[in-house]
């Protein structure tokens, strides 16, 4: 009886130890932070479709070059007016534009800076290529200037006016015609479908 | 006997671009700076010979001028009319035709014009009369002449139609820098599109150059008649 009793006690202790180990393991797992979701996936960057986008109204010339046209394009979503304005301008400056539209931003032009004052004046600082590579002509210059001004103001409701800077400085004109010395308001007279053209 | 000063005594013609700035270049190699100088010379000869007016070109040869230097030539010569001549460009190559621009005032320009009207100074002159002097920033002098500039531009657009190809619409407004500082009625004439191959070829012809110069001459005559009939200020 004593031997039998001893075996029962050992078995009970072993069962208790097993239970204690199991509870300990469960408690440890509960206390650990969750493993990263991507830990078991490859490290390739997410597809563009996975990045949140907004649909922005940007301004391009038609294939005939007669006027600016409103074009709906996907622009990466950003938090805040200034980051979103940068994203809008970066897309506007891409030379690859879906047919049948034509970019009116001279090739090679880059965005140096974008900021907005408390008064709602936005400053678009462009690289010198916007002047050096511009084809010239009053009409072509109006298309370039108002593609930028209209695109910013149409998509950023807090912006009232836009001033274009070149290489960080105030500029007289892009190519000798349109006055850039002050912030500009949108001009829809050169936009097809706005009543003027 | 008091003789009234003629409404048009001095005209300044501005051949756009020049020097290292060729302006628009056509596919066949035509340069805006050469075309504008050629038309300006023809127009100067017409006005001097047939109207006997004093005509000053902002540049007589192939040299670069800033936009302020061009307006300064007009202001320093006390010109009664300022014409800036250009050739146009557009993406795609299909847009064609002459266009005439006058200055559209932005919010600041409208405010300046209102302030100038309100703050003009009346000074006594010999004989007991008085003369109104407008107080206005030099670079916004244009604000005083915006209405007459629109009339001038409308007349030029009308005279160009039927003489040379014109765009639709031929009359345009905008914040045109070279016109902003000119303290007299002023317009910018885009004679045609050098980016349109067919038009580039036509614009080199003697027929085009003569027709353009004649249309501009006739619009100057019409504007002079309008100024003569206008009640004196």
């Amino acid at each position: 009886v004593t031997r039998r009793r001893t075996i029962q006690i050992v078995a009970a202790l072993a069962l208790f130890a097993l239970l204690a180990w199991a509870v300990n393991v469960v408690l440890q797992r509960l206390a650990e932070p969750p493993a990263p979701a991507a830990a078991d996936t490859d490290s390739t960057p997410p597809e563009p479709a996975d990045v949140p986008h907004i649909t922005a109204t940007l301004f391009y010339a038609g294939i005939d070059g007669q006027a600016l046209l409103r074009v709906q394009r996907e622009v990466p979503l950003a938090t805040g007016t200034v980051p979103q304005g940068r994203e809008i301008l970066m897309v506007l400056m891409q030379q690859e534009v879906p047919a049948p539209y034509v970019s009116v931003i001279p090739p090679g032009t880059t965005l140096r800076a974008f900021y907005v004052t408390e008064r709602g004046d936005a400053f678009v600082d462009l690289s010198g290529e916007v002047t050096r590579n511009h084809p010239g002509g009053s009409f072509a210059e109006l298309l370039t200037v108002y593609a930028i001004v209209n695109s910013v103001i149409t998509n950023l409701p807090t912006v009232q006016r836009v001033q274009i800077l070149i290489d960080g400085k105030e500029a007289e004109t892009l190519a000798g015609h349109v006055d850039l010395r002050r912030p500009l308001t949108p001009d829809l007279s050169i936009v097809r479908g706005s009543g003027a053209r | 006997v008091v003789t009234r000063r003629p409404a048009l005594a001095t005209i300044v013609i501005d051949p756009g671009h020049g020097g290292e700035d060729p302006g628009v270049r056509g596919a066949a190699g035509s340069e805006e700076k050469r075309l504008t100088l050629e038309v300006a010379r023809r127009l100067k000869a017409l006005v001097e010979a047939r109207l006997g007016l004093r005509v000053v070109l902002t540049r007589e040869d192939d040299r670069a001028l800033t936009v302020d230097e061009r307006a300064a030539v007009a202001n320093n010569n006390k010109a009664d009319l300022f014409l800036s001549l250009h050739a146009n460009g557009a993406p795609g190559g299909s847009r064609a035709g002459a266009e005439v621009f006058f200055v559209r005032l932005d919010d600041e320009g409208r405010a300046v014009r209102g302030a100038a009207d309100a703050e003009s100074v009346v000074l006594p002159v010999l004989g007991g009369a008085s003369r109104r002097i407008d107080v206005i920033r030099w670079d916004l002098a244009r604000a005083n002449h915006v209405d007459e500039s629109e009339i001038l531009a409308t007349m030029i657009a009308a005279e160009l139609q039927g003489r040379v190809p014109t765009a639709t619409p031929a009359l345009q407004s905008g914040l045109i820098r070279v016109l902003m500082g000119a303290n007299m009625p002023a317009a910018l004439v885009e004679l045609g599109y050098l980016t349109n191959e067919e038009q580039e070829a036509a614009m080199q012809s003697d027929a085009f150059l003569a027709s353009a110069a004649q249309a501009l001459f006739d619009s100057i005559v019409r504007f002079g008649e309008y100024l003569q009939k206008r009640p004196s200020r």
Side-chain angles (χ1 to χ4, degrees):
Chain A
V1 173
T2 308
R3 191 177 167 198
R4 199 171 173 186
R5 183 84 178 166
T6 304
I7 291 169
Q8 283 176 339
I9 291 170
V10 169
L13 284 172
L15 185 63
F16 179 78
L18 187 66
L19 274 171
W21 174 81
V23 168
N24 187 44
V25 167
V26 169
L27 286 175
Q28 274 186 356
R29 288 200 175 177
L30 286 175
E32 283 173 1
D40 57 350
T41 62
D42 65 32
S43 59
T44 54
E47 292 295 312
D50 297 336
V51 178
H53 282 69
I54 61 166
T55 302
T57 302
L58 304 185
F59 290 79
Y60 297 96
I63 196 73
D64 58 4
Q66 301 281 341
L68 287 177
L69 302 173
R70 293 180 178 85
V71 180
Q72 303 290 310
R73 293 204 68 186
E74 295 295 297
V75 173
L77 172 68
T79 305
T81 298
V82 170
Q84 190 64 69
R86 282 196 197 106
E87 295 290 352
I88 288 167
L89 288 163
M90 300 284 272
V91 173
L92 181 68
M93 282 169 199
Q94 293 169 0
Q95 293 298 306
E96 299 77 27
V97 180
Y101 306 109
V102 177
S103 173
V104 290
I105 309 299
T109 304
T110 57
L111 180 67
R112 297 177 80 249
F114 175 76
Y115 49 97
V116 181
T117 68
E118 289 181 357
R119 294 177 56 191
D121 288 343
F123 288 80
V124 177
D125 183 6
L126 302 175
S127 64
E129 284 80 3
V130 74
T131 289
R132 287 190 288 277
N133 297 342
H134 199 280
S138 299
F139 189 73
E141 200 169 322
L142 284 167
L143 293 180
T144 303
V145 168
Y146 287 102
I148 295 167
V149 173
N150 292 355
S151 293
V152 170
I153 293 180
T154 299
N155 295 290
L156 301 174
T158 56
V159 175
Q160 309 297 317
R161 305 187 301 173
V162 174
Q163 181 156 11
I164 295 172
L165 309 177
I166 300 174
D167 284 337
K169 299 173 190 163
E170 285 188 13
E172 298 258 327
T173 66
L174 282 188
H177 307 92
V178 182
D179 192 350
L180 296 184
R181 293 170 300 166
R182 292 192 293 277
L184 302 172
T185 51
D187 184 351
L188 299 180
S189 71
I190 55 170
V191 179
R192 186 175 291 157
S194 300
R197 283 172 201 271
Chain B
V1 177
V2 177
T3 343
R4 189 174 168 188
R5 183 178 179 270
L8 283 181
T10 301
I11 294 171
V12 168
I13 303 168
D14 170 41
H17 306 275
E20 67 269 22
D21 171 19
V24 180
R25 270 204 183 100
S30 311
E31 290 183 326
E32 181 182 1
K33 65 176 183 177
R34 298 185 193 282
L35 179 83
T36 57
L37 185 56
E38 177 59 31
V39 175
R41 284 174 174 157
R42 289 178 182 237
L43 180 58
K44 174 181 162 76
L46 274 175
V47 174
E48 286 178 340
R50 295 175 58 183
L51 299 179
L53 305 181
R54 177 171 172 250
V55 179
V56 178
L57 301 190
T58 55
R59 64 180 178 95
E60 300 271 1
D61 49 22
D62 185 19
R63 71 178 66 192
L65 293 170
T66 67
V67 284
D68 277 339
E69 286 169 338
R70 296 170 193 272
V73 171
N75 292 340
N76 294 341
N77 282 282
K78 296 185 169 45
D80 304 297
L81 194 157
F82 178 65
L83 281 185
S84 187
L85 304 183
H86 288 257
N88 223 335
S94 66
R95 189 171 174 86
E99 294 168 353
V100 187
F101 286 83
F102 62 96
V103 165
R104 166 177 54 80
L105 291 183
D106 60 2
D107 291 343
E108 184 178 0
R110 280 188 288 275
V112 165
R113 181 157 81 161
D117 288 343
E119 296 169 11
S120 60
V121 177
V122 177
L123 296 176
V125 296
L126 286 175
S130 61
R131 183 180 172 198
R132 193 186 125 191
I133 306 292
D134 290 334
V135 181
I136 192 165
R137 254 172 52 195
W138 184 86
D139 63 328
L140 288 166
R142 175 89 248 108
N144 271 341
H145 300 284
V146 69
D147 296 332
E148 286 180 343
S149 294
E150 183 172 355
I151 291 168
L152 169 66
T154 305
M155 289 177 175
I156 296 171
E159 290 295 336
L160 285 169
Q161 276 166 354
R163 317 275 192 97
V164 298
T166 49
T168 305
L171 187 63
Q172 308 263 6
S173 64
L175 299 171
I176 303 298
R177 177 69 183 88
V178 74
L179 304 180
M180 300 293 278
N183 192 12
M184 71 282 304
L188 183 146
V189 182
E190 294 279 1
L191 296 159
Y193 279 81
L194 286 175
T195 45
N196 179 307
E197 287 186 29
E198 192 180 326
Q199 187 149 60
E200 181 192 8
M203 288 169 79
Q204 308 308 309
S205 70
D206 186 66
F208 177 91
L209 298 170
S211 295
Q214 185 64 46
L216 295 173
F217 171 81
D218 290 342
S219 58
I220 290 170
V221 172
R222 273 185 69 184
F223 189 67
E225 290 168 354
Y226 158 78
L227 291 178
Q228 291 287 0
K229 291 176 188 166
R230 178 197 63 179
S232 58
R233 292 185 186 179

